[in-house]
Amino acid sequence: MLTQLSIKNYALIDDLNVSFTKGFTTITGETGAGKSILLGGLSLVLGKRADLSSLKNKDQKCIIEASFEIERYALQSFFNANDLDYEDQSILRREILPSGKSRAFINDTPVTLDILSGLGEQLVDIHSQHQTLRLADNDFQMKVIDALADNSKNLDEYTIRLKTYQSILKELQELLNFQSNADKELDYNSFLFQELENAPLKHGIQTALEAEYEELNNVEAILEQLSSAYQLLNSEQLGVLNSISELQQATQKLEGFGKQFEQLNERVQSIAIEIADIANDLELQQDRVEANPKRLEEVNSQLQLFHNLFKKHQVSTVDELIKIREDLSIKVDASINIEARIKEKELAVSETEAELDNIAAEIREKRNAIIPKLKSLLQEKLSALGMASATFKIAVTPAETFNNNGKDLLTFLFSANKGSTYGELKKVASGGELSRIMLTIKSILAAYEHLPTLMFDEIDTGVSGEISNKMGEIMQEMSTNMQVFSITHLPQVASKGVYQYKVFKEEGSATTTTHMKKLSEEERINELAEMLGGKSLSASALAHAKELLESNNEHQKL
């Protein structure tokens, strides 16, 4: 329920702040007074896109703020899904900056325009002449039928199953697409896999083979340097080991002359041990290293194989080849097992389709059961609105494919007069008839589901006084379960409101400003009298206005 609306620096509005309550509220004012501006401001805070032309003063920002009581709307899940703080009394705010940028907030948390619009749609339903075009939309018509048929749980279950069905169908199609190419690729992938499987691919093998190749390919040079190094250590006259031995003897003799010589001797002894180990290793390496042309050829052959595979697969390491081999193994296995996977997925599609058909049949049954009641209610209410001969042909028949709201085709035809041909609403109904039909549908829906605040924008345009009186009664009746606003030019409708607000303009020396005020009882009588007979406020107009208001007050007491 809309409880407060604040508009600053928007169009002809400087600063407007107005409070509302539950029930039926009417809004009146002369043509051009700014009723559409008020509606435009409300639309902005509900998520409509804006531009700089919205600003009254181009140097200041426009701020529109609306407070709502939302406890009865079950919107906690929306707030949770969008990471917003939920409050029973929530505030929506829209700011339009002089730069042209726009900002939106819900309970002081910045949000995108899509989120603001998503919440706004669930809080206020602005019904204008343009919105009557929705009547011709099959989805809207089906929504009306489903509301009366109490199909919400069935449709929720159907939606969940439909998503599953569509997901499985997509997976099946991907498998079928894969299969169409798999036969062509299987032989080639199998050949590539077998080639890599036969190659001695192991982690680290490339580094080991390259090191072995370097040694085998340089045996003579290695042996020459090993021998030279060994001779330097073991030469009888100039060998390092003999010199080290003499050095050991010298430092051993110094050891007894002090701590510093003892440490020096320990270092020399350590070096002697290390040099002896090196000499031993040099001798072992000379015995180990030998020419092996056969092994050199084998190592070179393996490295050449790797090089060829690198070039073929456009990689540079054995590890990359191992990864390619693993991927090819998966592809080959998938190709071989594709038939079984397709059959498994086809079975899942068939089972889910059967479940969907069952749910769709239940939805269809409930739709068909409620259609007679819907036709009766429509025709009864429209008769009271001056359309006594209006009749409908509504039928639900099975469709070939699954739709978002079931598996049905809807025929929703209308005839306004006896003997007239039935046709689609948008083709055979006039604008005034569409407005009355939409009001009737909304009044029926109000008894079956929690509708948001309804804002009727001159829905009574072009209808007679008696019909407008009945339209006012319908809106008044709807307001017992919800908040209803009506922007109207007709006194018969305006008098039905529990509260009446007037939109008016004031012209200053340089600017024109739109205002809105809640009318007192006396002000309402004067406003209604002016709507009835003009600004002269004749005695008869005042009496008629008072009579309209008193009649409405008596009705409200009942």
Side-chain angles (χ1 to χ4, degrees), residues 523-538:
E523 287 171 330
R524 287 190 74 178
I525 292 172
N526 289 336
E527 174 71 5
L528 291 172
E530 191 173 308
M531 293 171 74
L532 285 163
K535 292 186 177 294
S536 61
L537 296 183
S538 65

Side-chain angles (χ1 to χ4, degrees), residues 391-540:
T391 54
F392 292 84
K393 280 187 177 180
I394 305 173
V396 170
T397 54
E400 292 295 323
T401 57
F402 294 109
N403 303 316
N404 289 334
N405 57 2
K407 197 178 180 183
D408 293 327
L409 296 174
L410 175 64
T411 303
F412 201 104
L413 303 178
F414 170 72
S415 172
N417 305 295
K418 290 181 179 179
S420 296
T421 304
Y422 284 91
E424 296 178 20
L425 281 168
K426 62 182 177 182
K427 294 181 179 179
V428 300
S430 66
E433 288 169 341
L434 286 173
S435 292
R436 281 177 273 179
I437 294 170
M438 179 60 97
L439 175 61
T440 299
I441 286 176
K442 289 286 177 69
S443 70
I444 293 171
L445 283 175
Y448 288 87
E449 60 178 26
H450 289 300
L451 294 180
T453 291
L454 276 175
M455 179 79 69
F456 290 107
D457 181 19
E458 299 185 359
I459 192 174
D460 45 28
T461 299
V463 299
S464 67
E466 181 55 38
I467 301 303
S468 65
N469 187 63
K470 187 60 182 177
M471 293 178 79
E473 288 178 0
I474 290 175
M475 288 185 267
Q476 190 179 53
E477 182 183 346
M478 292 172 67
S479 72
T480 58
N481 297 316
M482 59 190 298
Q483 187 183 41
V484 179
F485 290 87
S486 178
I487 297 174
T488 181
H489 286 291
L490 299 179
Q492 292 84 352
V493 174
S495 65
K496 295 291 189 297
V498 179
Y499 305 101
Q500 183 175 341
Y501 289 78
K502 181 176 181 177
V503 178
F504 59 97
K505 288 193 299 188
E506 282 187 349
E507 294 185 359
S509 58
T511 62
T512 301
T513 305
T514 289
H515 301 275
M516 181 178 181
K517 67 174 293 187
K518 182 179 178 182
L519 300 180
S520 65
E521 187 84 2
E522 184 177 349
E523 287 171 330
R524 287 190 74 178
I525 292 172
N526 289 336
E527 174 71 5
L528 291 172
E530 191 173 308
M531 293 171 74
L532 285 163
K535 292 186 177 294
S536 61
L537 296 183
S538 65
S540 60

Side-chain angles (χ1 to χ4, degrees), residues 250-261:
T251 57
Q252 283 174 347
K253 292 176 181 178
L254 288 169
E255 186 177 18
F257 295 113
K259 187 71 175 176
Q260 66 274 28
F261 298 115

Side-chain angles (χ1 to χ4, degrees), residues 201-253:
L201 303 179
K202 292 186 294 185
H203 294 294
I205 191 172
Q206 182 180 355
T207 302
L209 285 174
E210 287 172 347
E212 187 177 0
Y213 176 82
E214 285 301 313
E215 181 180 313
L216 290 170
N217 197 43
N218 296 282
V219 168
E220 292 182 2
I222 293 171
L223 285 173
E224 181 181 345
Q225 296 305 318
L226 285 173
S227 176
S228 175
Y230 186 76
Q231 287 301 318
L232 286 171
L233 292 177
N234 282 289
S235 173
E236 291 182 2
Q237 294 181 350
L238 299 174
V240 173
L241 285 175
N242 284 335
S243 298
I244 289 291
S245 178
E246 292 175 4
L247 180 61
Q248 283 180 282
Q249 293 173 16
T251 57
Q252 283 174 347
K253 292 176 181 178

Side-chain angles (χ1 to χ4, degrees), residues 343-414:
K343 287 181 179 178
E344 179 183 328
K345 201 61 66 177
E346 285 175 339
L347 178 61
V349 167
S350 179
E351 290 175 346
T352 310
E353 192 172 299
E355 292 174 354
L356 268 176
D357 274 326
N358 289 336
I359 301 170
E362 291 178 14
I363 292 171
R364 185 181 308 117
E365 184 178 350
K366 294 177 75 171
R367 286 170 174 169
N368 281 319
I370 203 64
I371 284 174
K373 182 175 182 179
L374 173 61
K375 289 168 60 178
S376 176
L377 286 171
L378 284 171
Q379 290 164 191
E380 177 187 339
K381 288 179 176 289
L382 286 174
S383 178
L385 291 175
M387 297 173 65
S389 298
T391 54
F392 292 84
K393 280 187 177 180
I394 305 173
V396 170
T397 54
E400 292 295 323
T401 57
F402 294 109
N403 303 316
N404 289 334
N405 57 2
K407 197 178 180 183
D408 293 327
L409 296 174
L410 175 64
T411 303
F412 201 104
L413 303 178
F414 170 72

Side-chain angles (χ1 to χ4, degrees), residues 280-398:
N280 186 53
D281 282 347
L282 286 170
E283 185 175 16
L284 289 173
Q285 290 295 338
Q286 287 183 84
D287 293 338
R288 185 189 66 78
V289 176
E290 61 179 356
N292 190 340
K294 183 178 179 182
R295 178 57 185 164
L296 177 60
E297 185 179 349
E298 290 175 355
V299 172
N300 184 54
S301 177
Q302 286 192 26
L303 288 173
Q304 187 60 47
L305 172 62
F306 292 162
H307 178 75
N308 292 339
L309 290 172
F310 292 160
K311 188 175 181 181
K312 187 173 193 175
H313 294 280
Q314 297 183 337
V315 295
S316 58
T317 67
V318 168
D319 287 350
E320 289 174 294
L321 288 178
I322 291 172
K323 178 64 170 65
I324 291 172
R325 182 182 65 188
E326 292 170 351
D327 291 343
L328 285 169
S329 176
I330 293 171
K331 287 182 179 179
V332 170
D333 287 344
S335 297
I336 293 171
N337 298 322
I338 191 70
E339 283 292 344
R341 293 175 63 196
I342 287 175
K343 287 181 179 178
E344 179 183 328
K345 201 61 66 177
E346 285 175 339
L347 178 61
V349 167
S350 179
E351 290 175 346
T352 310
E353 192 172 299
E355 292 174 354
L356 268 176
D357 274 326
N358 289 336
I359 301 170
E362 291 178 14
I363 292 171
R364 185 181 308 117
E365 184 178 350
K366 294 177 75 171
R367 286 170 174 169
N368 281 319
I370 203 64
I371 284 174
K373 182 175 182 179
L374 173 61
K375 289 168 60 178
S376 176
L377 286 171
L378 284 171
Q379 290 164 191
E380 177 187 339
K381 288 179 176 289
L382 286 174
S383 178
L385 291 175
M387 297 173 65
S389 298
T391 54
F392 292 84
K393 280 187 177 180
I394 305 173
V396 170
T397 54

